[in-house]
Amino acid sequence: MIKTLMKQIKEYKLPSILTPLCMIGEVICEMVIPILMAKIVDDGIYGNNMGVIFKTGGLMVVIAILGLLAGLGGAYFGANASAGFAKNLRKAMFDNIQTFSFANIDKFSTSGLVTRLTTDVTNLQNAYMMILRMAMRAPASLVIAMVAAFTISARLSSIYLVAVLFLGSFIFFIMNRATRYFKQVFEKYDELNESVQENVSAIRVVKAYVREDYENDKFKKAAMNIYNMFVKAERNLVFMSPVMSATVYACILLMSWFGAHMIVGGELTTGNLMSLLTYCMSILMNLMMLGMIFVMMTMASASAKRIAEVIEEDTSIKNKENPVKEVKDGSITFEHVEFAYNQTSEEPVLKDINLEIKSGETIGIIGGTGSAKSSLVNLISRLYDVTGGKVMVGGVDVRDYDLETLRDQVSVVLQKNVLFSGSILDNLRWGDKNATEEDCKRACRMACADEFIEKMPNGYNTEIEQGGTNVSGGQRQRLCIARALLKKPKILILDDSTSAVDTSTDAKIRKAFAEEIPGTTKLIIAQRISSVQGCDRIVVMDDGKVNGFGSHEELLKTNDIYREVYESQTGASGDADFDQAG
Ligand SMILES: Nc1ncnc2c1ncn2[C@@H]1O[C@H](COP(=O)(O)OP(=O)(O)OP(=O)(O)O)[C@@H](O)[C@H]1O
Ligand SMILES: [Mg+2]
């Protein structure tokens, strides 16, 4: 994990190294000043030597300025390195997410990915800055101050040793407790983000069901949870400051008491005592800083793990070596195909599917909800990989194709479809970025989308809002079909893509397909028998298995499920569907 993350430092290595160096420079300057101070007091004031005072004073000013510069440099490089690191992390995650297969996305969930890209990266960015600036500075400063103090007077400095041991164990105890709560806070953040995302992206449904109060409560609970955890964690930390102050004052008192005796006895100079008192503050402050770094690191490690998971995730679907770059024709073969979304689940979604579809055929697929129609067609363009058997397109196993080639030739209109923000033309050109306006219009004519587009005030330049919220469900479906047609695919799959389109338009679209793209293999998933009865052959799916495969007439004679649904959809009751038949 550390290695994965370190790799993302990339071009920010130099500032990452300069930051701690600057900080150490600052520490050295800070530590030299008390020594010079002692010299001024002892040699200058007590020795009555103005020359020493001026010279040493001048040196002090120079060193103070150097220290200031080093501190500024540390802050500047630290900010630069950590912001750059965060940028690289986000980019690495985003790039890898683009390669994710549907199965990878199922694993992380969308809201989880968003949290990782935002909150987690910010956490790590802050921690990285802190580590660069403090992880070297605090221990270095602690050690240097200790050594300096001991060289002045080992006997007096043993007071510090006791203080450090006492404060050190106290800080360790408190930080340990606080970390426990801080860790829980991050788990609660996930809950909060989920609540926000789910609510905001589905705000229309929330309103339609008047669930605002419920959602408010849910959010309040998640926010309260975080508040409580933070309060609990901070409650531990409040003891830090008073205990720290008490220790510092105790040290100063003891130092002054024993120091004064030693000065009177001639064992110590006044200047030295002054230096020792300055080191006192430095030693204990840095000890506390170390404690804070420890908390920060444990907090960040949860985020770091979550980020590394995304960067390290290997896409489950990728090209093999020397992939086939040409799809010969639009024939499709399923050979003993078995498929499960989750390898560990016992029951596969698709069981022993055997189908042979000729190039250019129009195939209807029909079956109850959850009978795995979508799962079946998603295997063709390799949105998921089979768990057993194989799917072949143009006589070649789909896993042997170059993914881009395959997906260009197998165009799918997904059941859950979205349009993106941009004009209608922009959206259509997802199918083919070089399509001319004439091409786009032709595709829209086939998909019967031209009628409503031309009625819009800006025609083909009408802006679509994010998610396609400013067009109706049926209009969106027709735009999605047009977008898929622009790919000029060898295989076109429509997954329930005309469910929101009225029956006569539905028929018009099918007629246009038959006339304009006769060579394309068409797979049409539908709930209405009328949508598929004109197809060359129809697959009847039932509970993940093929229950029947043949033309409308054949199925009417041989397939019970098909006949029952046909009769109920055309007969008097008219509203029955596959679920009732099944
Ligand atoms: N991403 C997924 N992860 C896990 N299980 C899934 C996933 N998608 C679908 N399933 C399961 O697979 C089964 C088949 O679903 P599928 O979407 O293929 O049905 P369908 O025939 O297309 O239904 P519908 O007519 O409602 O679209 C269902 O039991 C469903 O719970
Ligand atoms: Mg479906």
Side-chain angles (χ1 to χ4, degrees), residues 488-508:
K488 301 200 184 69
K490 290 206 166 79
I491 298 173
L492 176 68
I493 299 171
L494 304 183
D495 189 351
D496 221 2
S497 306
T498 52
S499 58
V501 176
D502 59 280
T503 342
S504 75
T505 311
D506 187 14
K508 254 204 280 187

Side-chain angles (χ1 to χ4, degrees), residues 327-334 357-361 363 365 377 379-381 391-396 398 401 405-413 484-485 487-494 513 517 519-524:
V327 180
K328 210 167 82 245
D329 59 40
S331 64
I332 306 166
T333 314
F334 281 77
I357 296 164
K358 290 194 270 305
S359 187
E361 254 187 320
I363 301 289
I365 301 174
V377 295
L379 298 176
I380 302 172
S381 62
V391 178
M392 292 193 289
V393 166
V396 176
V398 287
Y401 279 114
T405 312
L406 178 73
R407 291 194 183 150
D408 272 342
Q409 294 303 327
V410 182
S411 198
V412 196
V413 180
L485 282 171
K487 275 192 172 181
K488 301 200 184 69
K490 290 206 166 79
I491 298 173
L492 176 68
I493 299 171
L494 304 183
F513 281 176
I517 45 169
T520 305
T521 313
K522 291 163 286 274
L523 269 63
I524 300 172

